[in-house]
Amino acid sequence: MTAVHSASPARRAAAEEPHGGPRRLVGPLAALDGRLPGPHDLLLMQCPSSLRPLDGGELPDWARAVLRAQPWVTVGRAPTVVGSPTDTPHPVRCPRDVTAAPEQWIPVTVRGPQRGQLLNALAPWAAVARTFRPEQLAARRELLAPERVAAVPALALLPVVGALVAEHRLTWGPIGAVGFELGTGAPVTGPMSPLRLVLRAPQPVSRRDALQLRRSLSKLPVPVQAELETRHGAVLLADYAAAPMTLTLLTPYGPREVHDPWFPRGPFV
């Protein structure tokens, strides 16, 4: 009889963590503690070909190539669709339990290698293998090579940014190209890359605190763009700190002109 030896824990971990963490093998069972993804979250697609472009038709060749190399997408700021979108084709690309509840489709963006090359699509929640929220990404800087971090100021300055934001007791995370590189490991940033941040602000932030934080961030040797994420949408920190009469609040249903982003009453643009 031939003895069968189980793989060592280290080997099992390596097999389960090709992207720095375990994949979910089927369905969104444990993702985000039952919470659907929000804007700027990163999703690892278990079945990238199941994406449906918002404009209809098939995935363009460049998007297929990108997803084959890095099957990650970024969640957009748009409503989640339940069921089967009627304006997109319905090929059977991935197996699914037909007796399950109606599918939930997450609005996502696929970024191409060319500047401005973007594809807006819907991704089935059941095909998501892993998720990252922006506030989980800063700690992943340690997974990058030290020489890589040193070559990109936006990556090197993350601890400094964290200390500045911590003074205002805001939960934060990097988004944009910096967040994508931290989550996926793909070298998409460069020496001139700006640093984009999301600041979680479920409770109102005073204009004084916003102005102090904006001034502190503006002194860093890298362009920083931060947005305050309220329960209703997001406003730019710089705009809010400037204390204008009205602000543009970015919501899943489009931009909205408001006086107070925490108690919005203005019309949609």
Side-chain angles (χ1 to χ4, degrees), residues 168-170 199-210 228-232 235 237 240 259-264:
H168 298 270
R169 299 181 181 180
L170 294 172
L199 309 174
R200 304 292 185 191
Q203 303 299 325
V205 175
S206 71
R207 301 272 188 178
R208 178 183 176 183
D209 284 349
L228 291 167
E229 186 77 37
T230 76
R231 291 174 293 175
H232 304 281
V235 293
L237 174 68
Y240 179 69
H259 298 287
D260 188 333
W262 286 274
F263 300 95

Side-chain angles (χ1 to χ4, degrees), residues 102-252:
E103 183 60 272
Q104 299 184 80
W105 296 81
I106 311 299
V108 300
T109 298
V110 182
R111 300 185 181 275
Q114 304 298 325
R115 184 177 179 85
Q117 197 171 41
L118 302 173
L119 174 70
N120 294 319
L122 294 173
W125 184 217
V128 175
R130 192 172 189 213
T131 60
F132 276 131
R133 300 194 74 189
E135 47 266 53
Q136 295 176 289
L137 298 176
R140 293 178 57 83
R141 193 184 76 135
E142 299 178 357
L143 301 178
L144 300 178
E147 57 272 19
R148 175 66 185 166
V149 174
V152 181
L155 293 171
L157 289 171
L158 284 175
V160 177
V161 171
L164 293 175
V165 176
E167 295 179 1
H168 298 270
R169 299 181 181 180
L170 294 172
T171 303
W172 70 285
I175 57 177
V178 171
F180 192 87
E181 177 159 344
L182 291 168
T184 68
V188 297
T189 61
M192 303 300 294
S193 293
L195 178 57
R196 294 181 57 207
L197 309 174
V198 60
L199 309 174
R200 304 292 185 191
Q203 303 299 325
V205 175
S206 71
R207 301 272 188 178
R208 178 183 176 183
D209 284 349
L211 182 58
Q212 289 178 344
L213 179 56
R214 185 190 68 80
R215 285 175 174 173
S216 298
L217 294 174
S218 66
K219 295 177 182 178
L220 297 176
V222 63
V224 179
Q225 184 187 69
E227 57 185 57
L228 291 167
E229 186 77 37
T230 76
R231 291 174 293 175
H232 304 281
V235 293
L236 293 179
L237 174 68
D239 291 348
Y240 179 69
M245 289 296 295
T246 59
L247 289 161
T248 299
L249 180 69
L250 302 178
T251 80

Side-chain angles (χ1 to χ4, degrees), residues 38-59:
H40 306 303
D41 286 0
L42 294 177
L43 308 181
L44 175 64
M45 299 304 301
Q46 187 170 318
C47 187
S49 60
S50 63
L51 266 63
R52 297 182 178 177
L54 282 182
D55 295 335
E58 299 290 330
L59 290 173

